[in-house]
């Protein structure tokens, strides 16, 4: 048994979907979530920069004493997964492999679409993992504006629908029957994505599948929190406004996130550090 928290990292607010799924499956587990809002979005940035940013955040989480790292960002997962597993003594879970496994078991016609940031799609990580199965055909598509919409709190406008149609029409015409949401921000746009793709296309999101991986790792390593553990959820952000992060989190997820504190990691220079009382579910 181990009552230390699970560390979860994303470039912004998208990973909150993963944090919520982990909390739902493992309600006794404490969480520390860091959103690198000072440098979000990661998608358009060079992979070398993303790697440096991600390792800075992960180093910070390890210093806080987490028992597991969850990279809840597809772009960061593609950039640092191998490095992270060699660098840290705690187990590392990412969001790509769980979504790949689910997509493989979901597709009926072997035609799978993958949408993600420019960085994720450009890395080819989804294509490489899916095309291990010679019977699958993968149709990747970068959707960079989706993250911008979510980080601005815009999820249901006419502009979102128009951009979704522009991005997704080629995948619909390609006849995919399964679409991987290869970014943890994208579930917040699931209404528009599902509308454009149609009811016959299955959407695969990595949040619940990643939570299952977390559960399996904790059980196999005897790291589950003890029966008397009281979960504490601490949310941190690297941006310059805790209030901005809270407002966006409340708009996207209701009142699940009650407090956030600003942190410094690596070379990020912030004007101040704001402490907050940990969030208790």
């Amino acid at each position: 048994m181990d009552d230390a928290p699970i560390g979860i990292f994303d470039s912004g607010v998208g990973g909150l979907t993963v944090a919520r799924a982990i909390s739902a499956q493992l309600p006794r587990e404490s969480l520390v979530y860091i959103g690198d809002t000072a440098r979000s979005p990661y998608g358009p940035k060079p992979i070398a920069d993303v790697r440096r940013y991600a390792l800075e955040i992960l180093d910070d989480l390890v210093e806080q004493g987490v028992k597991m790292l969850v990279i809840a960002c597809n772009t960061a997962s593609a950039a640092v997964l191998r490095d992270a597993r060699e660098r840290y003594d705690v187990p590392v879970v990412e969001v790509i492999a769980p979504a790949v496994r689910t997509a493989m078991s979901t597709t009926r016609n072997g035609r799978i679409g993958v949408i993600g940031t420019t960085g994720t799609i450009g890395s080819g990580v989804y294509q490489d993992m899916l095309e291990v199965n010679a019977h699958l055909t993968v149709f990747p598509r970068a959707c960079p504006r989706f993250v911008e919409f979510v980080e601005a709190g815009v999820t249901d406008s006419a502009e979102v629908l128009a951009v979704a149609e522009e991005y997704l029409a080629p995948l619909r015409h390609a006849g995919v029957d399964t679409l991987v949401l290869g970014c943890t921000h994208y579930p917040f746009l699931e209404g528009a994505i599902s509308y454009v793709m149609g009811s016959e296309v299955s959407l695969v999101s990595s949040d619940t599948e990643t939570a299952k991986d977390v559960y399996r790792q904790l059980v196999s390593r005897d790291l589950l929190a003890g029966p008397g553990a009281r979960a504490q959820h601490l949310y941190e952000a690297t941006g310059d406004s805790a209030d901005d992060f809270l407002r966006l989190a409340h708009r996207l997820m209701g009142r699940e996130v009650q407090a956030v504190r600003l942190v410094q990691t690596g070379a990020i220079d912030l004007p101040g550090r704001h402490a907050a009382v940990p969030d208790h579910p």
Side-chain angles (χ1 to χ4, degrees), residues 9-95:
F9 153 59
D10 184 55
S11 61
V13 298
L16 291 173
T17 58
V18 176
R20 177 170 55 189
I22 292 172
S23 181
Q25 294 193 28
L26 295 157
R28 289 202 302 267
E29 298 294 338
S30 292
L31 309 176
V32 178
Y33 179 97
I34 298 183
D36 192 10
T37 48
R39 299 177 290 197
S40 180
Y42 279 7
K45 293 180 170 61
I47 286 292
D49 288 347
V50 172
R51 179 182 179 277
R52 178 168 59 87
Y53 300 159
L55 291 177
E56 287 176 2
I57 300 287
L58 296 171
D59 283 352
D60 184 82
L61 284 168
V62 170
E63 288 174 5
Q64 293 190 52
V66 301
K67 64 183 177 184
M68 169 182 282
L69 293 168
V70 179
I71 307 174
C73 172
N74 285 260
T75 306
S77 293
V80 303
L81 179 58
R82 182 175 300 176
D83 293 324
R85 286 182 171 158
E86 294 175 352
R87 185 181 182 94
Y88 305 114
D89 293 330
V90 298
V92 179
V93 173
E94 46 79 37
V95 291

Side-chain angles (χ1 to χ4, degrees), residues 88 194 197 246:
Y88 305 114
S194 180
M197 294 304 298
L246 273 178

Side-chain angles (χ1 to χ4, degrees), residues 109-219:
N109 67 5
R111 301 173 75 83
I112 297 175
V114 178
I115 56 175
T117 67
T118 301
T120 297
I121 298 302
S123 74
V125 62
Y126 274 101
Q127 299 92 303
D128 292 344
M129 293 179 72
L130 286 165
E131 289 174 349
V132 167
N133 185 331
H135 300 290
L136 299 179
T137 304
V138 182
F139 299 87
R141 182 78 163 158
C143 304
R145 292 194 63 194
F146 280 176
V147 171
E148 296 173 14
F149 283 130
V150 173
E151 290 289 334
V154 179
T155 59
D156 57 359
S157 70
E159 186 181 9
V160 168
L161 196 59
V163 171
E165 174 65 32
E166 176 187 344
Y167 283 153
L168 302 175
L171 301 181
R172 189 179 64 235
H173 297 322
V176 304
D177 73 348
T178 302
L179 179 64
V180 177
L181 308 186
C183 175
T184 49
H185 285 69
Y186 292 0
F188 292 115
L189 301 176
E190 192 166 329
I193 293 169
S194 180
Y195 179 82
V196 170
M197 294 304 298
S199 58
E200 296 302 311
V201 176
S202 300
L203 304 185
V204 174
S205 178
S206 57
D207 48 3
T208 55
E209 299 306 319
T210 299
K212 292 175 186 176
D213 263 16
V214 168
Y215 183 94
R216 283 190 288 266
Q217 290 266 8
L218 293 179
V219 170

Side-chain angles (χ1 to χ4, degrees), residues 16 20 188 245-258 279:
L16 291 173
R20 177 170 55 189
F188 292 115
F245 185 95
L246 273 178
R247 277 195 295 269
L248 181 55
H250 290 169
R251 177 166 183 176
L252 296 172
M253 301 187 68
R255 302 293 297 185
E256 291 183 35
V257 181
Q258 296 179 15
D279 180 324

Side-chain angles (χ1 to χ4, degrees), residues 216-234:
R216 283 190 288 266
Q217 290 266 8
L218 293 179
V219 170
S220 67
R221 297 169 184 264
D222 195 25
L223 292 176
L224 285 172
R230 184 182 179 207
Q232 296 189 357
H233 295 175
L234 177 62

